[in-house]
Amino acid sequence: MTIGNPVINISIFGVFVLITLVITFRASRTNASAADFYAAGRNISGTQNGLAIAGDYLSAASFLGIAGAIAVYGYDGFLYSIGFLVAWLVALLLVAELLRNTARFTMADVLAFRMRQGPVRTAAALSTLAVSLFYLLAQMAGAGGLVTLLLGISGAGAQAATVVVVGALMIFYVLVGGMRGTTYVQLIKATLLIAGAFVMTVWVLGKYGFNLSSLLGGAADTAAQQATPRDVLSPMGQYGATGTSKLDFVSLGLALVLGTAGLPHVLMRFYTVPTAKDARKSVVWAIWLIGFFYLFSLVIGYGAGALVGADEILAAPGAVNSAAPLLAFELGGTVLLGIIAGVAFATILAVVAGLTITASASFAHDIYNSVVKKGSATGKQEVRVARITSVVIGAVAIGLGILALQAGLNIAFLVALAFAVAASANLPTILYTLFWKRFTTQGALWSIYGGLISCLVLIVFSPVVSGAPVNPVTGVSPSLIQGDGFSWFPLNNPGLVSIPLAFFLGWLGTMLSKEKPDVDKYAELEVRSLTGIGAEKAVPH
């Protein structure tokens, strides 16, 4: 199935890629130090950083995955938007300003400040890599599905090739542009994405006389006429069938709301601003921009459900993730489709670049410099290792992305798994470090490893990986591994179990620890977190 004109689609893709490559190359000329490569020299303004955070956060999951979930499932699909947005209140109130004041380049700078450097930095780096890989998995799958749909290519080999191309571009952005180049790409991408979503929203509402009630009625009528009729206006249509489904809904909501404050690539953006005031301003701008975008996604999702229909969406390459491009084609033909698809492609490229630089920075700064070299590596050595790491991470993400694409998983759902890992492995340790005087190294390690391992194990043995029943529309199981499989954990998202377990293990590890908490270091951390004094000196002690 091909929609639009493949020549026009690839031409618009090419323009977006060319522009971002030029921006990245120009930005590379100012990367003189590790601070430039990791934190854009700490001279990004609060407003710019807020737009860049929105660019980082509004990934393929937000644009393609949520729109598709709303188009197919209605009310339940919008729960992703609510969870993603409410999560920013947790980030604003508990994390943003305090992390900006206490860290230098990575999340581990905060966690290791009053703990033993080696084990804590290693654990934090491993959790950062795990979250980044899950997030990259979703973006790669989204990119492959989008390009497959728009270029009319079919077959596993052709789909794999598109993922490889996206991965190669991602690696180039990070190798050449660093955080500054990535930030500029995200600024442009966020502007284009919000503008594109706004145009589609106005266009859809215009077809229904700018009456939201008429649009919802149209979506409900179309959904009732599909091969599998759905009530897209009532809650719990997707999650309410069984008790397990309801628990899955609670687990998903918990992961979404608590996950943002533990996402390493979002946290790293707070280190690019010069002051704590700018960090707060960044989050406020991000909340407004993201909030408006999710309102647009509601209209786009129901518009796709009304004008395209769930059956056509699920039958297209990319399945649920193809709703927004199909709606763009329905509204404005080949030209609008090409523009919206180009924006979605730029969205994916910007987000994967941000994720890759975060993961590579964590390895180079926390493991190579702080653990292996005991803080003696020069900035140039650290950046070189970060660049090598980005190539390795890119290669792994390409392989996993090909698997996810062929399984046809909803990328909003895949991102929710990344949120569950972040909320389990990172958030409990961050909060304990910032607010609990007695917290010790053993508590930090138990919390990080306990949350990370429990979350990953539950995902591996869940229907996400194997054992999910075959979808009657697509004819394949929405699992990474087809067939009966080996799943025994009934929930698709493990947050309901792994997040409380991580908090408990952090407390238990501290209570059983024979190590005395460093009260003086906690007092210094508290002063620094509240005032910003010495914010750039979070180095091994």
Side-chain angles (χ1 to χ4, degrees):
M1 173 184 178
T2 310
I3 58 172
N5 186 318
V7 176
I8 293 176
N9 294 338
I10 197 66
S11 299
I12 295 175
F13 275 1
V15 170
F16 277 98
V17 170
L18 187 62
I19 291 170
T20 53
L21 288 177
V22 170
I23 293 167
T24 303
F25 183 73
R26 290 177 64 87
S28 69
R29 293 185 289 185
T30 59
N31 282 336
S33 67
D36 288 327
F37 188 80
Y38 293 147
R42 303 187 197 281
N43 60 8
I44 304 295
S45 72
T47 303
Q48 288 177 324
N49 199 46
L51 189 57
I53 287 174
D56 234 340
Y57 199 68
L58 296 175
S59 63
S62 297
F63 187 46
L64 303 178
I66 292 177
I70 294 172
V72 175
Y73 301 110
Y75 184 99
D76 283 10
F78 192 53
L79 297 174
Y80 281 102
S81 297
I82 296 170
F84 284 147
L85 182 59
V86 170
W88 276 103
L89 296 178
V90 179
L92 174 63
L93 297 174
L94 297 178
V95 171
E97 181 181 350
L98 303 181
L99 274 184
R100 160 60 210 42
N101 288 343
T102 50
R104 189 177 179 209
F105 294 138
T106 66
M107 175 185 72
D109 287 334
V110 182
L111 304 185
F113 187 82
R114 59 191 181 101
M115 312 291 180
R116 295 200 307 276
Q117 292 286 319
V120 172
R121 282 188 180 275
T122 302
L126 289 174
S127 72
T128 296
L129 290 170
V131 174
S132 299
L133 279 174
F134 264 100
Y135 224 113
L136 282 169
L137 178 70
Q139 306 308 314
M140 292 298 201
L146 183 67
V147 177
T148 300
L149 175 71
L150 297 171
L151 301 188
I153 55 180
S154 59
Q159 291 180 344
T162 63
V163 176
V164 171
V165 171
V166 172
L169 284 169
M170 164 191 81
I171 293 167
F172 178 84
Y173 287 147
V174 175
L175 290 179
V176 176
M179 178 59 88
R180 194 187 304 275
T182 301
T183 298
Y184 292 154
V185 170
Q186 284 163 341
L187 289 173
I188 293 172
K189 163 252 159 163
T191 303
L192 291 173
L193 180 61
I194 293 171
F198 175 74
V199 168
M200 288 182 69
T201 298
V202 172
W203 204 320
V204 168
L205 287 175
K207 281 187 167 290
Y208 290 90
F210 293 94
N211 187 325
L212 183 61
S213 180
S214 297
L215 168 62
L216 297 178
D221 291 342
T222 303
Q225 297 164 12
Q226 302 298 295
T228 305
R230 291 184 177 90
D231 182 359
V232 293
L233 301 184
S234 298
M236 308 310 284
Q238 182 181 3
Y239 294 103
T242 65
T244 304
S245 298
K246 292 176 181 176
L247 283 177
D248 228 339
F249 163 71
V250 175
S251 192
L252 172 68
L254 194 63
L256 296 181
V257 170
L258 297 180
T260 296
L263 287 175
H265 71 292
V266 171
L267 299 179
M268 195 169 175
R269 292 233 57 92
F270 297 134
Y271 314 142
T272 65
V273 293
T275 67
K277 181 180 178 182
D278 285 309
R280 288 196 304 274
K281 188 176 182 181
S282 299
V283 179
V284 172
W285 269 97
I287 288 174
W288 278 106
L289 293 169
I290 293 166
F292 277 117
F293 180 84
Y294 283 145
L295 289 177
F296 297 158
S297 72
L298 177 67
V299 175
I300 292 170
Y302 273 118
L307 299 173
V308 180
D311 289 350
E312 188 173 339
I313 292 168
L314 292 172
V320 174
N321 307 317
S322 63
L326 288 170
L327 175 63
F329 184 64
E330 183 73 26
L331 293 173
T334 302
V335 175
L336 182 62
L337 167 69
I339 293 171
I340 294 302
V343 169
F345 196 60
T347 294
I348 292 165
L349 289 175
V351 172
V352 294
L355 286 163
T356 306
I357 195 170
T358 300
S360 59
S362 182
F363 181 85
H365 181 64
D366 296 325
I367 294 181
Y368 173 73
N369 187 9
S370 300
V371 178
V372 177
K373 290 291 187 178
K374 307 295 182 187
S376 65
T378 64
K380 284 187 177 179
Q381 289 175 321
E382 205 176 298
V383 170
R384 186 174 69 249
V385 171
R387 285 176 166 147
I388 294 170
T389 307
S390 69
V391 175
V392 176
I393 291 168
V396 173
I398 287 169
L400 293 175
I402 291 169
L403 278 177
L405 173 62
Q406 292 174 354
L409 296 175
N410 182 353
I411 49 182
F413 169 72
L414 286 171
V415 165
L417 293 181
F419 273 61
V421 178
S424 303
N426 296 341
L427 185 62
T429 317
I430 291 172
L431 296 182
Y432 280 146
T433 300
L434 291 173
F435 299 110
W436 189 18
K437 186 186 297 185
R438 295 182 57 188
F439 196 46
T440 64
T441 299
Q442 180 171 296
L445 295 176
W446 284 31
S447 179
I448 293 174
Y449 285 127
L452 178 62
I453 293 170
S454 65
C455 193
L456 293 180
V457 167
L458 293 178
I459 289 173
V460 167
F461 291 103
S462 74
V464 176
V465 173
S466 69
V470 172
N471 185 316
V473 178
T474 62
V476 297
S477 166
S479 296
L480 284 175
I481 300 172
Q482 301 294 302
D484 293 337
F486 42 81
S487 64
W488 51 261
F489 183 67
L491 304 181
N492 286 309
N493 192 297
L496 188 62
V497 175
S498 59
I499 297 172
L501 180 62
F503 274 103
F504 171 73
L505 289 173
W507 171 84
L508 183 64
T510 299
M511 291 292 101
L512 298 178
S513 175
K514 295 177 182 177
E515 171 190 0
K516 256 186 109 178
D518 194 334
V519 178
D520 292 337
K521 273 291 176 184
Y522 175 76
E524 184 182 341
L525 179 72
E526 190 173 34
V527 170
R528 180 177 290 183
S529 68
L530 295 174
T531 65
I533 295 172
E536 291 186 32
K537 298 177 182 176
V539 294
H541 56 275

